[in-house]
Amino acid sequence: MTDPTPPRDAEPTGLNPDLTQSRDETYAEDQHGSTPLDTVSVKPQGPAVWPVIWAVTFVVLVAITLFLIFA
């Protein structure tokens, strides 16, 4: 099997030669952290105002459109 990493002294290729792939050599399988969902917290929210604003806007625009078409 061939090594997919180019030699260090090779010319950089690709669209942005400053971006290089790197690997954390110090990582091991025994370094797993906690499950992200165990530490998630959600702030309590007030009433949802934006859906009401969008619904009222939609109804007003439909009414204006119907008035302009049929009046």
Side-chain angles (χ1 to χ4, degrees):
M1 205 175 229
T2 61
D3 186 16
T5 58
R8 297 219 182 245
D9 58 350
E11 277 294 315
T13 59
L15 296 176
N16 188 350
D18 293 334
L19 294 176
T20 58
Q21 182 180 11
S22 63
R23 292 195 167 103
D24 185 7
E25 300 296 332
T26 61
Y27 176 78
E29 284 296 322
D30 60 346
Q31 294 177 333
H32 290 292
S34 63
T35 305
L37 289 177
D38 292 341
T39 59
V40 170
S41 64
V42 178
K43 295 179 182 178
Q45 295 179 341
V49 176
W50 282 108
V52 174
I53 293 173
W54 280 108
V56 169
T57 304
F58 177 76
V59 169
V60 168
L61 290 176
V62 167
I64 291 171
T65 304
L66 291 175
F67 176 76
L68 290 174
I69 290 174
F70 296 112

